[in-house]
C-alpha cells in the first residue's frame, strides 16, 4: 500500500451489512460509496495495510478522536482535500486534491442514506501506538467509501 492516506485500526466503514471495523473487512464485502444514491463498491481481496514501526501521527477535527493520517483524502463541499495533499497524491495520482483545513465542510452519514455537513472548526493531531495503518481498496465501483461516517477516497 502507498504511504498516502490511512486510518487507525477500529475506524468503522459503512457496508451493506452495517458499520464494520476496517480491519474486519473481507474481500467481496459491499462497501457504501454514495449514501444519497445507495451505491456500493466491492472490496478487493487485498489487505491494505502499512506497517508503522510502532506508532503514527493521526489527525482529527472538532471533538472527534484522531483517526486518520495527514494524507487521507476527504470529500468537502469544495472538492477532495487532505491535510497533506502531496502525500495524498502519492496514493491518488489522478485525483485533484486541495489542502484540508479549518472552515472546510465535510460530508458525513449517520444513517447510510443521507449526508449532513460538518464544518471543521479546529484540527488536532496525536501520536498513537499501532503496528499498522489501514486503507480500503475497491475493485468495483467508485473508489470512495465512508470512514467513521465521513466520505473519503481510497
Amino acid at each position: 500500500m502507498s504511504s498516502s492516506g490511512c486510518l487507525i485500526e477500529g475506524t468503522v466503514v459503512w457496508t451493506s451489512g452495517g458499520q464494520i471495523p476496517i480491519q474486519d473487512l473481507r474481500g467481496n464485502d459491499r462497501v457504501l460509496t454514495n449514501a444519497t444514491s445507495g451505491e456500493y463498491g466491492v472490496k478487493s481481496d487485498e489487505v491494505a495495510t502499512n506497517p508503522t514501526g510502532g506508532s503514527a501521527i493521526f489527525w482529527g477535527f472538532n471533538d472527534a478522536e484522531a483517526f486518520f493520517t495527514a494524507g487521507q483524502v476527504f470529500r468537502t463541499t469544495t472538492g477532495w482535500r487532505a491535510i497533506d495533499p502531496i502525500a495524498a497524491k502519492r496514493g491518488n495520482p489522478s485525483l485533484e486534491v486541495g489542502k484540508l483545513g479549518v472552515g472546510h465542510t465535510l460530508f458525513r452519514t449517520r444513517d447510510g442514506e443521507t449526508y449532513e455537513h460538518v464544518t471543521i472548526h479546529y484540527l488536532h493531531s496525536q501520536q498513537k501506538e499501532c503496528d499498522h495503518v489501514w486503507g480500503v481498496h475497491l475493485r468495483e465501483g467508485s473508489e470512495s467509501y465512508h470512514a467513521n461516517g465521513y466520505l473519503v477516497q481510497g
Side-chain angles (χ1 to χ4, degrees):
M1 186 171 173
S2 71
S3 59
S4 63
C6 294
L7 304 160
I8 195 166
E9 186 171 305
T11 299
V12 293
V13 175
W14 276 93
T15 71
S16 58
Q19 296 182 73
I20 297 177
I22 196 166
Q23 69 274 10
D24 294 339
L25 290 173
R26 299 293 177 252
N28 296 320
D29 281 349
R30 295 187 59 223
V31 175
L32 182 66
T33 61
N34 187 310
T36 304
S37 66
E39 294 174 43
Y40 287 84
V42 177
K43 186 189 171 302
S44 73
D45 292 328
E46 178 183 8
V47 176
T49 64
N50 267 337
T52 64
S55 69
I57 296 174
F58 292 93
W59 289 83
F61 31 77
N62 305 339
D63 294 327
E65 186 172 334
F67 71 97
F68 61 94
T69 61
Q72 182 60 57
V73 179
F74 286 82
R75 183 67 179 176
T76 73
T77 55
T78 57
W80 294 106
R81 296 186 175 275
I83 291 173
D84 183 348
I86 294 170
K89 291 289 281 182
R90 284 196 292 267
N92 300 282
S94 62
L95 190 65
E96 189 66 35
V97 180
K99 183 151 180 67
L100 180 68
V102 171
H104 287 120
T105 301
L106 307 169
F107 290 86
R108 177 174 62 187
T109 185
R110 290 183 183 261
D111 60 8
E113 297 176 1
T114 60
Y115 288 110
E116 64 182 3
H117 289 156
V118 176
T119 300
I120 298 174
H121 298 290
Y122 64 93
L123 292 160
H124 56 92
S125 63
Q126 180 181 0
Q127 185 148 353
K128 295 184 177 188
E129 291 185 14
C130 60
D131 293 326
H132 292 86
V133 289
W134 298 80
V136 175
H137 291 172
L138 302 176
R139 71 166 175 256
E140 293 178 22
S142 169
E143 293 181 27
S144 62
Y145 60 98
H146 298 81
N148 288 351
Y150 293 94
L151 184 57
V152 299
Q153 182 78 12

